[in-house]
Amino acid sequence: GLKEFRWAFERLYPEAKHWNGNPNAADTDPDPNAKLMLEGPSAINNLGRKELRVRWHGSDNFMGLDKDGWVVQDSSAAALQILMRPLMDNKGERVPDTYTLQVRSRDGKWDGCWLSCTPVNHLRFGGWLRAYQAEKDACPFKLIQDSACHLGTCKMLSAYATPPQQTPLLGKDPGHIPAGFYLVQQRHAGRVYVGQAPDAEADFFEFLEVPTAVALK
């Protein structure tokens, strides 16, 4: 309801032009041949085994990894590529619209790793997205499209059915895996992480197909 006043926010806060949902943001991509994947019926359930880039809607920022494996925003041509792995249930059937995310990286350091979230303690400290070596640590994400989503976008829900046991995060509090929350940018200790938030605060994401594959190690 306030979108007609967005120009005023952008005048006061120049960074607002990069907020989610900016209708005037350039729809650019480091690879002009990349294809937006979430348009059309059943598109969200047909991403399995595709190598994609994940972009924040309304910006030219993609998911990337820093030198320590934390997921960050990256606007470069070397932005992170992700192989979408369909999640299977204990009967060997696909879980609808749900995937684990495997890193495809040209530099080799994180190639073949899996994206997952750190535990969250009772103070809501943690829950940030990073790369892990073992597939058993991978977090499944359910891609959600509802009336709040812009055309061609989705929200990403942490979808553990039974969260694994966690080692202590702070002191004696082991924390817990953040199931049932959505990915969103969060600032902590002077830097920005990709963390967890309720539905109303969720970021919107676009998935773009990358025509050139990256060979795994």
Side-chain angles (χ1 to χ4, degrees):
L2 295 177
K3 63 181 180 181
E4 64 267 28
F5 299 112
R6 187 173 191 122
W7 64 269
F9 283 96
E10 291 183 5
R11 180 169 295 180
L12 293 172
Y13 307 101
E15 66 273 18
K17 65 182 179 180
H18 300 298
W19 293 350
N20 287 335
N22 184 353
N24 300 314
D27 191 23
T28 58
D29 185 70
D31 187 338
N33 297 314
K35 176 185 176 184
L36 191 62
M37 298 302 296
L38 296 184
E39 296 180 332
S42 303
I44 205 166
N45 199 40
N46 295 322
L47 303 181
R49 301 289 175 173
K50 293 185 182 296
E51 184 179 320
L52 308 175
R53 288 193 179 103
V54 183
R55 180 170 64 191
W56 272 266
H57 177 67
S59 79
D60 58 0
N61 293 320
F62 293 77
M63 281 191 181
L65 290 175
D66 68 10
K67 62 182 179 62
D68 298 314
W70 295 105
V71 173
V72 295
Q73 288 196 343
D74 186 350
S75 60
S76 73
L80 184 65
Q81 298 177 18
I82 292 173
L83 186 63
M84 307 292 289
R85 301 279 191 178
L87 185 68
M88 313 301 287
D89 64 19
N90 55 11
K91 297 181 180 179
E93 298 179 356
R94 281 190 58 178
V95 179
D97 308 335
T98 307
Y99 304 88
T100 53
L101 311 180
Q102 188 176 24
V103 174
R104 309 297 293 267
S105 173
R106 288 185 173 90
D107 66 15
K109 181 178 181 180
W110 304 107
D111 197 20
C113 291
W114 304 81
L115 298 188
S116 190
C117 305
T118 61
V120 178
N121 71 2
H122 65 289
L123 298 177
R124 293 188 66 183
F125 176 90
W128 299 309
L129 196 62
R130 63 164 302 157
Y132 288 84
Q133 295 285 341
E135 182 177 1
K136 66 179 179 61
D137 295 323
C139 176
F141 289 96
K142 186 174 181 65
L143 308 186
I144 303 292
Q145 285 184 312
D146 58 22
S147 59
C149 293
H150 306 263
L151 180 64
T153 73
C154 69
K155 297 178 283 190
M156 298 181 67
L157 176 72
S158 301
Y160 279 114
T162 304
Q165 184 65 37
Q166 295 297 307
T167 54
L169 181 66
L170 290 177
K172 297 181 179 180
D173 180 7
H176 60 278
I177 283 293
F181 288 89
Y182 293 81
L183 293 187
V184 64
Q185 294 180 84
Q186 292 178 334
R187 183 171 294 276
H188 176 78
R191 62 160 294 169
V192 176
Y193 294 90
V194 177
Q196 309 286 317
D199 184 12
E201 302 173 26
D203 282 349
F204 298 99
F205 297 94
E206 301 165 347
F207 287 76
L208 296 103
E209 188 170 24
V210 181
T212 304
V214 177
L216 283 172
K217 294 181 292 185

